Amino acid sequence: QNIKVDVAIGYFVSKDESKLVGGEPLGPHFWEVYVEKVIKGREKLPRPLEDMQTIQEVEGENIAWPSDDVIN
C-alpha cells in the first residue's frame, strides 16, 4: 500500500495535455503546478525539471506533477 504525504503547497496552473513543462508535454496523467512552499524537500520529482531532481530545488517553479497526487 502506498502512503501519500504532502510534499509541498502550491497552485494548480494547467491540465492542458499539450502544454510543455520542462520541455515535455504534460500528457494525460500530469498537471502543471506552481510550487509555493516545500514541506518534504528530499522527495524526488516524478519528472525532473532541467537538472533539478528534488522538491526542494523547485520551490518557486512550475513543474509537472501526477494529477492523481494533487490534493485540494
Side-chain angles (χ1 to χ4, degrees):
Q1 177 182 3
N2 287 340
I3 298 172
K4 295 186 179 187
V5 297
D6 293 343
V7 297
I9 296 170
Y11 299 100
F12 169 81
V13 177
S14 177
K15 59 181 179 179
D16 177 352
E17 294 181 13
S18 64
K19 184 160 185 193
L20 297 180
V21 178
E24 190 174 339
L26 286 174
H29 304 289
F30 282 81
W31 288 352
E32 181 182 13
V33 298
Y34 172 77
V35 180
E36 180 181 40
K37 181 180 179 187
V38 171
I39 298 170
K40 299 271 188 189
R42 293 182 183 212
E43 292 294 318
K44 296 274 187 204
L45 294 173
R47 273 196 198 171
L49 180 66
E50 299 168 6
D51 61 345
M52 296 174 269
Q53 303 288 321
T54 63
I55 291 289
Q56 67 188 3
E57 296 173 290
V58 295
E59 190 170 79
E61 301 282 346
N62 286 6
I63 64 168
W65 196 256
S67 55
D68 287 347
D69 293 338
V70 176
I71 301 169
N72 288 337

